[in-house]
PDB file of all heavy atoms in Angstrom:
ATOM      1  N   VAL A 376     144.240 130.310  34.771  1.00  0.00           N
ATOM      2  CA  VAL A 376     145.413 131.170  34.832  1.00  0.00           C
ATOM      3  C   VAL A 376     145.454 131.927  36.160  1.00  0.00           C
ATOM      4  O   VAL A 376     144.424 132.338  36.686  1.00  0.00           O
ATOM      5  CB  VAL A 376     145.433 132.148  33.633  1.00  0.00           C
ATOM      6  CG1 VAL A 376     144.141 132.928  33.553  1.00  0.00           C
ATOM      7  CG2 VAL A 376     146.605 133.103  33.696  1.00  0.00           C
ATOM      8  N   MET A 377     146.670 132.078  36.700  1.00  0.00           N
ATOM      9  CA  MET A 377     146.846 132.850  37.918  1.00  0.00           C
ATOM     10  C   MET A 377     147.763 134.030  37.649  1.00  0.00           C
ATOM     11  O   MET A 377     148.781 133.898  36.955  1.00  0.00           O
ATOM     12  CB  MET A 377     147.449 131.999  39.031  1.00  0.00           C
ATOM     13  CG  MET A 377     147.460 132.706  40.371  1.00  0.00           C
ATOM     14  SD  MET A 377     148.540 131.911  41.581  1.00  0.00           S
ATOM     15  CE  MET A 377     150.084 132.766  41.251  1.00  0.00           C
ATOM     16  N   LEU A 378     147.400 135.198  38.197  1.00  0.00           N
ATOM     17  CA  LEU A 378     148.251 136.373  38.088  1.00  0.00           C
ATOM     18  C   LEU A 378     149.104 136.483  39.345  1.00  0.00           C
ATOM     19  O   LEU A 378     148.580 136.434  40.453  1.00  0.00           O
ATOM     20  CB  LEU A 378     147.407 137.648  37.935  1.00  0.00           C
ATOM     21  CG  LEU A 378     146.780 137.885  36.560  1.00  0.00           C
ATOM     22  CD1 LEU A 378     145.600 136.967  36.339  1.00  0.00           C
ATOM     23  CD2 LEU A 378     146.361 139.344  36.412  1.00  0.00           C
ATOM     24  N   VAL A 379     150.391 136.643  39.128  1.00  0.00           N
ATOM     25  CA  VAL A 379     151.282 136.849  40.268  1.00  0.00           C
ATOM     26  C   VAL A 379     151.087 138.274  40.775  1.00  0.00           C
ATOM     27  O   VAL A 379     150.880 139.199  39.994  1.00  0.00           O
ATOM     28  CB  VAL A 379     152.746 136.609  39.853  1.00  0.00           C
ATOM     29  CG1 VAL A 379     153.686 136.974  40.987  1.00  0.00           C
ATOM     30  CG2 VAL A 379     152.939 135.153  39.453  1.00  0.00           C
ATOM     31  N   ASN A 380     151.114 138.424  42.102  1.00  0.00           N
ATOM     32  CA  ASN A 380     150.908 139.732  42.717  1.00  0.00           C
ATOM     33  C   ASN A 380     152.263 140.330  43.120  1.00  0.00           C
ATOM     34  O   ASN A 380     152.926 139.819  44.020  1.00  0.00           O
ATOM     35  CB  ASN A 380     150.003 139.569  43.942  1.00  0.00           C
ATOM     36  CG  ASN A 380     149.569 140.886  44.533  1.00  0.00           C
ATOM     37  OD1 ASN A 380     150.266 141.898  44.394  1.00  0.00           O
ATOM     38  ND2 ASN A 380     148.425 140.884  45.190  1.00  0.00           N
ATOM     39  N   PHE A 381     152.658 141.433  42.434  1.00  0.00           N
ATOM     40  CA  PHE A 381     153.932 142.069  42.772  1.00  0.00           C
ATOM     41  C   PHE A 381     153.743 143.301  43.652  1.00  0.00           C
ATOM     42  O   PHE A 381     154.679 144.047  43.899  1.00  0.00           O
ATOM     43  CB  PHE A 381     154.685 142.462  41.499  1.00  0.00           C
ATOM     44  CG  PHE A 381     155.216 141.273  40.741  1.00  0.00           C
ATOM     45  CD1 PHE A 381     154.695 140.938  39.494  1.00  0.00           C
ATOM     46  CD2 PHE A 381     156.213 140.480  41.278  1.00  0.00           C
ATOM     47  CE1 PHE A 381     155.167 139.836  38.810  1.00  0.00           C
ATOM     48  CE2 PHE A 381     156.700 139.380  40.572  1.00  0.00           C
ATOM     49  CZ  PHE A 381     156.171 139.053  39.346  1.00  0.00           C
ATOM     50  N   GLY A 382     152.503 143.547  44.077  1.00  0.00           N
ATOM     51  CA  GLY A 382     152.239 144.639  45.016  1.00  0.00           C
ATOM     52  C   GLY A 382     152.246 146.017  44.362  1.00  0.00           C
ATOM     53  O   GLY A 382     152.609 146.178  43.190  1.00  0.00           O
ATOM     54  N   GLY A 383     151.794 147.024  45.136  1.00  0.00           N
ATOM     55  CA  GLY A 383     151.861 148.428  44.729  1.00  0.00           C
ATOM     56  C   GLY A 383     151.183 148.709  43.397  1.00  0.00           C
ATOM     57  O   GLY A 383     150.077 148.242  43.135  1.00  0.00           O
ATOM     58  N   ASP A 384     151.867 149.488  42.542  1.00  0.00           N
ATOM     59  CA  ASP A 384     151.314 149.832  41.230  1.00  0.00           C
ATOM     60  C   ASP A 384     151.066 148.576  40.405  1.00  0.00           C
ATOM     61  O   ASP A 384     150.104 148.495  39.646  1.00  0.00           O
ATOM     62  CB  ASP A 384     152.302 150.731  40.472  1.00  0.00           C
ATOM     63  CG  ASP A 384     152.309 152.140  41.057  1.00  0.00           C
ATOM     64  OD1 ASP A 384     151.365 152.453  41.821  1.00  0.00           O
ATOM     65  OD2 ASP A 384     153.251 152.897  40.768  1.00  0.00           O
ATOM     66  N   ASN A 385     151.964 147.600  40.574  1.00  0.00           N
ATOM     67  CA  ASN A 385     151.828 146.367  39.808  1.00  0.00           C
ATOM     68  C   ASN A 385     150.564 145.609  40.193  1.00  0.00           C
ATOM     69  O   ASN A 385     149.945 144.964  39.352  1.00  0.00           O
ATOM     70  CB  ASN A 385     153.052 145.479  40.019  1.00  0.00           C
ATOM     71  CG  ASN A 385     154.298 146.083  39.385  1.00  0.00           C
ATOM     72  OD1 ASN A 385     154.188 146.840  38.414  1.00  0.00           O
ATOM     73  ND2 ASN A 385     155.451 145.780  39.954  1.00  0.00           N
ATOM     74  N   GLU A 386     150.193 145.696  41.467  1.00  0.00           N
ATOM     75  CA  GLU A 386     148.959 145.037  41.898  1.00  0.00           C
ATOM     76  C   GLU A 386     147.761 145.683  41.228  1.00  0.00           C
ATOM     77  O   GLU A 386     146.858 144.997  40.754  1.00  0.00           O
ATOM     78  CB  GLU A 386     148.819 145.110  43.423  1.00  0.00           C
ATOM     79  CG  GLU A 386     147.602 144.370  43.939  1.00  0.00           C
ATOM     80  CD  GLU A 386     147.475 144.452  45.459  1.00  0.00           C
ATOM     81  OE1 GLU A 386     148.067 143.623  46.160  1.00  0.00           O
ATOM     82  OE2 GLU A 386     146.767 145.372  45.931  1.00  0.00           O
ATOM     83  N   ARG A 387     147.770 147.042  41.190  1.00  0.00           N
ATOM     84  CA  ARG A 387     146.664 147.739  40.519  1.00  0.00           C
ATOM     85  C   ARG A 387     146.590 147.339  39.049  1.00  0.00           C
ATOM     86  O   ARG A 387     145.517 147.113  38.501  1.00  0.00           O
ATOM     87  CB  ARG A 387     146.827 149.251  40.665  1.00  0.00           C
ATOM     88  CG  ARG A 387     146.267 149.759  41.984  1.00  0.00           C
ATOM     89  CD  ARG A 387     146.263 151.282  42.053  1.00  0.00           C
ATOM     90  NE  ARG A 387     147.626 151.815  42.263  1.00  0.00           N
ATOM     91  CZ  ARG A 387     148.238 151.823  43.450  1.00  0.00           C
ATOM     92  NH1 ARG A 387     147.618 151.358  44.525  1.00  0.00           N
ATOM     93  NH2 ARG A 387     149.451 152.308  43.560  1.00  0.00           N
ATOM     94  N   TYR A 388     147.752 147.239  38.409  1.00  0.00           N
ATOM     95  CA  TYR A 388     147.797 146.826  37.003  1.00  0.00           C
ATOM     96  C   TYR A 388     147.242 145.395  36.874  1.00  0.00           C
ATOM     97  O   TYR A 388     146.433 145.100  35.982  1.00  0.00           O
ATOM     98  CB  TYR A 388     149.236 146.896  36.483  1.00  0.00           C
ATOM     99  CG  TYR A 388     149.373 146.428  35.052  1.00  0.00           C
ATOM    100  CD1 TYR A 388     148.683 147.068  34.025  1.00  0.00           C
ATOM    101  CD2 TYR A 388     150.173 145.335  34.722  1.00  0.00           C
ATOM    102  CE1 TYR A 388     148.797 146.648  32.713  1.00  0.00           C
ATOM    103  CE2 TYR A 388     150.293 144.896  33.421  1.00  0.00           C
ATOM    104  CZ  TYR A 388     149.604 145.560  32.418  1.00  0.00           C
ATOM    105  OH  TYR A 388     149.715 145.121  31.121  1.00  0.00           O
ATOM    106  N   ALA A 389     147.648 144.542  37.805  1.00  0.00           N
ATOM    107  CA  ALA A 389     147.197 143.142  37.776  1.00  0.00           C
ATOM    108  C   ALA A 389     145.674 143.066  37.887  1.00  0.00           C
ATOM    109  O   ALA A 389     145.032 142.272  37.197  1.00  0.00           O
ATOM    110  CB  ALA A 389     147.849 142.354  38.906  1.00  0.00           C
ATOM    111  N   ILE A 390     145.120 143.935  38.737  1.00  0.00           N
ATOM    112  CA  ILE A 390     143.658 143.914  38.917  1.00  0.00           C
ATOM    113  C   ILE A 390     142.953 144.294  37.623  1.00  0.00           C
ATOM    114  O   ILE A 390     141.942 143.680  37.248  1.00  0.00           O
ATOM    115  CB  ILE A 390     143.251 144.840  40.085  1.00  0.00           C
ATOM    116  CG1 ILE A 390     143.597 144.139  41.422  1.00  0.00           C
ATOM    117  CG2 ILE A 390     141.765 145.178  40.031  1.00  0.00           C
ATOM    118  CD1 ILE A 390     143.411 145.005  42.649  1.00  0.00           C
ATOM    119  N   SER A 391     143.490 145.277  36.912  1.00  0.00           N
ATOM    120  CA  SER A 391     142.847 145.670  35.660  1.00  0.00           C
ATOM    121  C   SER A 391     142.967 144.560  34.617  1.00  0.00           C
ATOM    122  O   SER A 391     142.031 144.291  33.859  1.00  0.00           O
ATOM    123  CB  SER A 391     143.435 146.991  35.142  1.00  0.00           C
ATOM    124  OG  SER A 391     144.646 146.753  34.460  1.00  0.00           O
ATOM    125  N   VAL A 392     144.103 143.879  34.603  1.00  0.00           N
ATOM    126  CA  VAL A 392     144.265 142.743  33.683  1.00  0.00           C
ATOM    127  C   VAL A 392     143.289 141.630  34.056  1.00  0.00           C
ATOM    128  O   VAL A 392     142.617 141.048  33.197  1.00  0.00           O
ATOM    129  CB  VAL A 392     145.716 142.198  33.732  1.00  0.00           C
ATOM    130  CG1 VAL A 392     145.825 140.899  32.939  1.00  0.00           C
ATOM    131  CG2 VAL A 392     146.683 143.234  33.195  1.00  0.00           C
ATOM    132  N   LEU A 393     143.185 141.384  35.356  1.00  0.00           N
ATOM    133  CA  LEU A 393     142.286 140.338  35.858  1.00  0.00           C
ATOM    134  C   LEU A 393     140.854 140.591  35.383  1.00  0.00           C
ATOM    135  O   LEU A 393     140.181 139.690  34.886  1.00  0.00           O
ATOM    136  CB  LEU A 393     142.350 140.331  37.383  1.00  0.00           C
ATOM    137  CG  LEU A 393     141.442 139.354  38.133  1.00  0.00           C
ATOM    138  CD1 LEU A 393     141.870 137.925  37.856  1.00  0.00           C
ATOM    139  CD2 LEU A 393     141.492 139.609  39.637  1.00  0.00           C
ATOM    140  N   LYS A 394     140.412 141.864  35.547  1.00  0.00           N
ATOM    141  CA  LYS A 394     139.035 142.193  35.163  1.00  0.00           C
ATOM    142  C   LYS A 394     138.826 141.971  33.667  1.00  0.00           C
ATOM    143  O   LYS A 394     137.825 141.402  33.253  1.00  0.00           O
ATOM    144  CB  LYS A 394     138.731 143.648  35.509  1.00  0.00           C
ATOM    145  CG  LYS A 394     137.316 144.042  35.121  1.00  0.00           C
ATOM    146  CD  LYS A 394     136.921 145.412  35.601  1.00  0.00           C
ATOM    147  CE  LYS A 394     135.441 145.681  35.372  1.00  0.00           C
ATOM    148  NZ  LYS A 394     134.999 145.443  33.995  1.00  0.00           N
ATOM    149  N   GLN A 395     139.801 142.398  32.877  1.00  0.00           N
ATOM    150  CA  GLN A 395     139.650 142.256  31.419  1.00  0.00           C
ATOM    151  C   GLN A 395     139.627 140.787  31.005  1.00  0.00           C
ATOM    152  O   GLN A 395     138.906 140.399  30.088  1.00  0.00           O
ATOM    153  CB  GLN A 395     140.773 143.000  30.705  1.00  0.00           C
ATOM    154  CG  GLN A 395     140.642 144.518  30.851  1.00  0.00           C
ATOM    155  CD  GLN A 395     141.841 145.259  30.270  1.00  0.00           C
ATOM    156  OE1 GLN A 395     141.992 145.336  29.065  1.00  0.00           O
ATOM    157  NE2 GLN A 395     142.702 145.758  31.153  1.00  0.00           N
ATOM    158  N   LEU A 396     140.440 139.983  31.675  1.00  0.00           N
ATOM    159  CA  LEU A 396     140.431 138.553  31.372  1.00  0.00           C
ATOM    160  C   LEU A 396     139.057 137.949  31.652  1.00  0.00           C
ATOM    161  O   LEU A 396     138.502 137.207  30.833  1.00  0.00           O
ATOM    162  CB  LEU A 396     141.486 137.822  32.220  1.00  0.00           C
ATOM    163  CG  LEU A 396     142.940 137.971  31.791  1.00  0.00           C
ATOM    164  CD1 LEU A 396     143.855 137.369  32.834  1.00  0.00           C
ATOM    165  CD2 LEU A 396     143.178 137.321  30.432  1.00  0.00           C
ATOM    166  N   ARG A 397     138.502 138.305  32.814  1.00  0.00           N
ATOM    167  CA  ARG A 397     137.193 137.738  33.177  1.00  0.00           C
ATOM    168  C   ARG A 397     136.110 138.255  32.255  1.00  0.00           C
ATOM    169  O   ARG A 397     135.195 137.499  31.873  1.00  0.00           O
ATOM    170  CB  ARG A 397     136.867 138.073  34.628  1.00  0.00           C
ATOM    171  CG  ARG A 397     137.709 137.261  35.603  1.00  0.00           C
ATOM    172  CD  ARG A 397     137.336 137.561  37.025  1.00  0.00           C
ATOM    173  NE  ARG A 397     138.160 136.800  37.958  1.00  0.00           N
ATOM    174  CZ  ARG A 397     138.424 137.191  39.197  1.00  0.00           C
ATOM    175  NH1 ARG A 397     137.912 138.339  39.648  1.00  0.00           N
ATOM    176  NH2 ARG A 397     139.148 136.454  39.991  1.00  0.00           N
ATOM    177  N   ASP A 398     136.194 139.547  31.897  1.00  0.00           N
ATOM    178  CA  ASP A 398     135.210 140.095  30.951  1.00  0.00           C
ATOM    179  C   ASP A 398     135.240 139.311  29.649  1.00  0.00           C
ATOM    180  O   ASP A 398     134.217 139.147  28.975  1.00  0.00           O
ATOM    181  CB  ASP A 398     135.503 141.575  30.673  1.00  0.00           C
ATOM    182  CG  ASP A 398     135.129 142.449  31.871  1.00  0.00           C
ATOM    183  OD1 ASP A 398     134.445 141.921  32.784  1.00  0.00           O
ATOM    184  OD2 ASP A 398     135.510 143.627  31.905  1.00  0.00           O
ATOM    185  N   ALA A 399     136.425 138.818  29.290  1.00  0.00           N
ATOM    186  CA  ALA A 399     136.557 138.059  28.050  1.00  0.00           C
ATOM    187  C   ALA A 399     136.220 136.580  28.254  1.00  0.00           C
ATOM    188  O   ALA A 399     136.358 135.787  27.329  1.00  0.00           O
ATOM    189  CB  ALA A 399     137.978 138.200  27.512  1.00  0.00           C
ATOM    190  N   GLY A 400     135.828 136.228  29.478  1.00  0.00           N
ATOM    191  CA  GLY A 400     135.392 134.857  29.716  1.00  0.00           C
ATOM    192  C   GLY A 400     136.520 133.889  30.051  1.00  0.00           C
ATOM    193  O   GLY A 400     136.342 132.680  29.953  1.00  0.00           O
TER     194      GLY A 400
END
Side-chain angles (χ1 to χ4, degrees):
Chain A
V376 54
M377 188 195 90
L378 284 75
V379 174
N380 188 333
F381 289 112
D384 286 345
N385 291 333
E386 184 180 274
R387 276 187 286 282
Y388 178 60
I390 284 173
S391 81
V392 172
L393 177 67
K394 180 173 188 308
Q395 291 174 73
L396 284 172
R397 287 182 181 154
D398 287 348

